[in-house]
């Protein structure tokens, strides 16, 4: 009986380690009045990369910058004496220290650069595939950030694709 229990515990632990799906709760950031939950982003692994499937409510139609940030926090922090929503998340996740914002398809840029989110007039948010993320386990301990503006996947004419302020965030646990 002890061997059976040990085997079951072993297999359960292995299955937990081989996770192929993550659900991230996401909230609109408001350092003054408190954050507001707006839904989740489901992350799954596919042969083509990580698939991010948003189930979010309350976003206006448009294109939004979407990134993995380096720290597992969505807290506000001070910059130049001003409180900035989501600043504790740090910069874009860049494990190879490229220092370049080049988008989700360029191997010489941040790994945390994801395809932009597109929100339709009826509020539906399209799923996106991040082809360079081959192991979603590597996403644990980071933050998922939605920026107020679009993203041109370049540092010109504006830094970090001109994505705008940090608007919504979730910690990937």
């Amino acid at each position: 009986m002890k061997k059976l229990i040990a085997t079951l515990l072993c297999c359960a632990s292995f299955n937990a380690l081989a996770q192929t799906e993550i659900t991230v709760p996401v909230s609109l950031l408001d350092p003054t009045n408190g954050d507001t939950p707006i839904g989740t982003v489901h992350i799954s692994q596919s042969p083509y990369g990580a698939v991010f499937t948003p189930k979010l409510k309350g976003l206006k139609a448009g294109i939004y910058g979407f990134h993995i940030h380096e720290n597992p926090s969505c807290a506000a922090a001070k910059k130049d004496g001003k409180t900035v929503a989501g600043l504790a998340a740090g910069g874009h996740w860049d494990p190879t220290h490229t220092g370049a914002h080049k988008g989700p398809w360029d191997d010489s840029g941040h790994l945390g650069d994801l395809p932009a989110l597109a929100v339709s007039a009826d509020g539906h948010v399209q799923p996106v595939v991040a082809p360079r993320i081959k192991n979603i386990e590597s996403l644990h301990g980071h933050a998922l950030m939605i920026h107020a503006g679009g993203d041109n996947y370049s540092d010109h004419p504006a830094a970090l694709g001109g994505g705008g302020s940090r608007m919504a965030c979730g910690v990937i646990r």
Side-chain angles (χ1 to χ4, degrees):
M1 183 64 148
K2 286 183 181 180
K3 283 185 179 181
L4 176 61
I5 292 172
T7 301
L8 290 173
L9 289 174
C10 170
C11 293
S13 296
F14 177 77
N15 286 337
L17 291 174
Q19 183 179 17
T20 58
E21 297 182 358
I22 301 169
T23 299
V24 182
V26 175
S27 294
L28 282 177
L29 300 175
D30 185 343
T32 304
N33 300 311
D35 299 346
T36 303
I38 58 169
T40 61
V41 173
H42 182 79
I43 308 168
S44 59
Q45 194 66 64
S46 82
Y48 309 103
V51 179
F52 293 78
T53 306
K55 302 257 187 257
L56 303 172
K57 295 183 184 207
L59 296 178
K60 293 180 182 178
I63 303 295
Y64 296 89
F66 191 44
H67 307 102
I68 304 294
H69 281 247
E70 58 190 348
N71 302 322
S73 176
C74 294
K78 296 272 186 185
K79 180 177 181 179
D80 300 327
K82 295 182 180 181
T83 300
V84 178
L87 189 61
H92 294 177
W93 180 42
D94 188 16
T96 59
H97 309 288
T98 66
H101 180 72
K102 294 190 175 183
W105 304 278
D106 189 326
D107 289 339
S108 65
H110 302 153
L111 190 56
D113 291 344
L114 303 176
L117 289 181
V119 180
S120 66
D122 67 359
H124 178 73
V125 187
Q126 293 293 324
V128 298
V129 176
R132 295 175 51 216
I133 299 176
K134 302 296 185 192
N135 176 6
I136 65 171
E137 290 297 314
S138 65
L139 301 178
H140 291 289
H142 298 286
L144 186 61
M145 189 72 65
I146 300 171
H147 292 264
D151 191 340
N152 70 2
Y153 310 117
S154 174
D155 284 324
H156 301 286
L160 302 175
S165 63
R166 298 166 188 221
M167 185 180 93
C169 182
V171 174
I172 305 170
R173 302 194 187 282

